[in-house]
Amino acid sequence: MIKPAGRITGIKASQTILLDSLAKDLAQQGQDVINLTAGELDFETSNEVLDAAKDAIDANNNHYSKPQGLPQVRSAVCNFLSNNYDLDFNDNQIIITNGAKQALYSCLQVLINSEDEVLVPVPGWVSYSQQIKLADGVVIAVETTDDFQLDIDAFNTAVTEKTVGIILNYPNNPTGAVYDLEQLEKIADFAREHNLWVISDEIYSKLLYDDSKFISFAKIYPERTIVINGVSKSGSMTGWRVGFAAGPENVIDAMTVLQSHLTGNVCNIAQFASLPALNMKPDSLDNILLELARRRKVVIEWVDANNKISLTDPAGAFYCFLDISEITEDSEIFCETLLTEFGVALVPGKYFGRDSFVRLSFASSLENVQEALKRMTEFIEKY
């Protein structure tokens, strides 16, 4: 038997992907499963994207292209960042990647040396800690406030002489939290004081509710921020795998060298298909946001009527991070029982750093969300 290399033996597979796959497998086997684990919208990819892909195929764009990305796509990213977030990047400061996940991985690989520490607010997305470990770095969890906002005192307590960077993610997965200007400025001052890199995962930045405002961290701390984004979420293009990083040119150059050996270029057809998504008008998401807001409201009203579960209302993304501490402190048992006995798939909060919570994705139809909540009511009454 082959023994895997040490760098991979301690790495866990993505629990969110595993649970999504399990729920889909059970459904294919004929079981009645409502899958609320997925981090992808249930809306169809736009016809403009599909037509752009077909045109690229017809134009025979089937050969190698630059590892950094097609020039027209990098220019479109610059325009996207300028038009939406008032950020000033040039083409040489952009790299196109196989999804935002690869952009994160490559960024960590070129910034972290062995035993370097990276501060990660908790709750946080499951892949951050594993990617830091793959770069031979050390994960330092930084607790957030009770309503999942950034706590500058916690950052000051966590920083050491080995700290080299911070990963921020907002709107946050799994909580939906959005950070205001005052919080971001405090973190920027902290990062400057300690000469830290900040990797700002902004993949959900177009998905906001009520009066929430999004401010890119690169607007406040441009000198050492790497923005991670892509078309997967807002463009309903998760399977196309087109993400990007924007940052200082020397970081992007290093990521390009890595990408030249890791994957080469991102699929040309997918890159051309991303152009309409990058160039979409500001109001193109209005109908999607209205529908997501309807589903969000249904979940919030269900929680308000239930004295066993509580929730900090999400300001963005499409997740509700439900506090189940009145029922159990074991989120895995909660989710396992809910799935096997009631056919509802959620993600245990343990995977995000909070074991007395579960994540519910409302990126499914309103009917599915309503039926899932009905079954969860039955589950809570029984147990």
Side-chain angles (χ1 to χ4, degrees):
M1 180 180 292
I2 297 175
K3 183 178 181 180
R7 75 179 66 87
I8 198 67
T9 53
I11 300 300
K12 299 177 182 178
S14 171
Q15 295 98 336
T16 51
I17 291 178
L18 288 175
L19 283 166
D20 181 45
S21 299
L22 173 60
K24 289 175 179 175
D25 288 343
L26 291 173
Q28 288 180 347
Q29 294 167 16
Q31 296 193 36
D32 180 16
V33 174
I34 300 175
N35 183 5
L36 301 185
T37 68
E40 62 178 345
L41 293 172
D42 61 321
F43 303 99
E44 295 296 330
T45 305
S46 72
N47 288 330
E48 290 81 3
V49 167
L50 301 180
D51 289 341
K54 294 171 187 175
D55 290 343
I57 293 171
D58 291 339
N60 196 32
N61 286 293
N62 302 317
H63 303 285
Y64 289 131
S65 58
K66 292 182 177 180
Q68 192 170 347
L70 294 169
Q72 53 268 60
V73 179
R74 285 186 283 129
S75 292
V77 168
C78 291
N79 291 333
F80 172 83
L81 293 172
S82 175
N83 294 337
N84 289 279
Y85 313 113
D86 194 27
L87 298 176
D88 185 17
F89 287 98
N90 63 58
D91 293 12
N92 293 329
Q93 294 177 289
I94 307 295
I95 182 172
I96 310 302
T97 57
N98 291 279
K101 185 178 285 188
Q102 191 210 336
L104 285 161
Y105 174 86
S106 296
C107 188
L108 289 164
Q109 287 291 324
V110 304
L111 291 181
I112 296 178
N113 289 306
S114 180
E115 302 303 316
D116 282 347
E117 295 176 352
V118 180
L119 307 182
V120 182
V122 176
W125 184 47
V126 298
S127 289
Y128 296 138
S129 60
Q130 304 306 303
Q131 290 193 0
I132 292 168
K133 292 175 184 177
L134 282 168
D136 203 21
V138 178
V139 183
I140 304 297
V142 181
E143 289 294 331
T144 52
T145 65
D146 290 342
D147 56 352
F148 309 122
Q149 297 298 301
L150 300 175
D151 183 349
I152 190 62
D153 291 334
F155 277 90
N156 283 318
T157 300
V159 70
T160 74
E161 61 182 14
K162 293 183 178 180
T163 306
V164 298
I166 305 168
I167 294 181
L168 295 180
N169 169 223
Y170 63 103
N172 178 265
N173 175 9
T175 69
V178 176
Y179 310 136
D180 61 23
L181 179 60
E182 181 180 357
Q183 290 183 79
L184 296 176
E185 287 180 335
K186 287 180 180 179
I187 299 301
D189 290 341
F190 169 82
R192 284 194 182 94
E193 179 184 353
H194 297 283
N195 199 32
L196 304 179
W197 291 102
V198 175
I199 301 172
S200 186
D201 181 357
E202 303 179 359
I203 192 67
Y204 296 100
S205 56
K206 301 291 289 181
L207 304 176
L208 301 168
Y209 308 106
D210 300 331
D211 296 323
S212 299
K213 305 294 183 184
F214 180 83
I215 304 166
S216 175
F217 200 75
K219 189 66 181 174
I220 305 168
Y221 186 52
E223 61 268 32
R224 289 175 69 85
T225 295
I226 300 91
V227 172
I228 307 294
N229 210 323
V231 297
S232 291
K233 309 299 182 181
S234 58
S236 296
M237 294 177 65
T238 50
W240 295 79
R241 309 314 300 140
V242 181
F244 62 81
E249 193 168 331
N250 60 337
V251 176
I252 300 302
D253 287 345
M255 292 175 67
T256 301
V257 170
L258 175 61
Q259 185 150 302
S260 73
H261 295 291
L262 185 63
T263 64
N265 64 279
V266 175
C267 170
N268 292 335
I269 308 306
Q271 287 194 69
F272 279 110
S274 72
L275 287 171
L278 290 167
N279 294 326
M280 62 183 176
K281 296 178 181 178
D283 60 355
S284 61
L285 282 173
D286 285 356
N287 290 335
I288 289 176
L289 288 172
L290 283 172
E291 177 58 24
L292 288 174
R294 288 176 64 204
R295 301 172 189 177
R296 170 179 172 268
K297 181 181 179 182
V298 165
V299 180
I300 292 172
E301 289 178 345
W302 176 82
V303 171
D304 289 342
N306 191 306
N307 62 3
K308 292 293 185 181
I309 290 181
S310 57
L311 169 70
T312 298
D313 295 354
F318 39 70
Y319 307 111
C320 287
F321 204 46
L322 305 175
D323 185 343
I324 59 169
S325 58
E326 291 294 318
I327 301 171
T328 179
E329 296 286 340
D330 192 328
S331 57
E332 286 184 312
I333 293 295
F334 181 99
C335 289
E336 180 182 347
T337 307
L338 183 62
L339 176 58
T340 57
E341 297 190 24
F342 292 85
V344 177
L346 306 181
V347 182
K350 178 180 180 179
Y351 303 155
F352 305 101
R354 293 280 180 90
D355 203 10
S356 57
F357 288 76
V358 295
R359 191 191 77 176
L360 178 154
S361 169
F362 53 88
S364 186
S365 70
L366 181 61
E367 292 75 19
N368 280 347
V369 172
Q370 290 172 325
E371 176 61 23
L373 295 175
K374 177 183 176 183
R375 296 183 190 183
M376 288 175 67
T377 299
E378 296 171 358
F379 165 68
I380 292 169
E381 290 175 349
K382 181 175 181 179
Y383 291 100

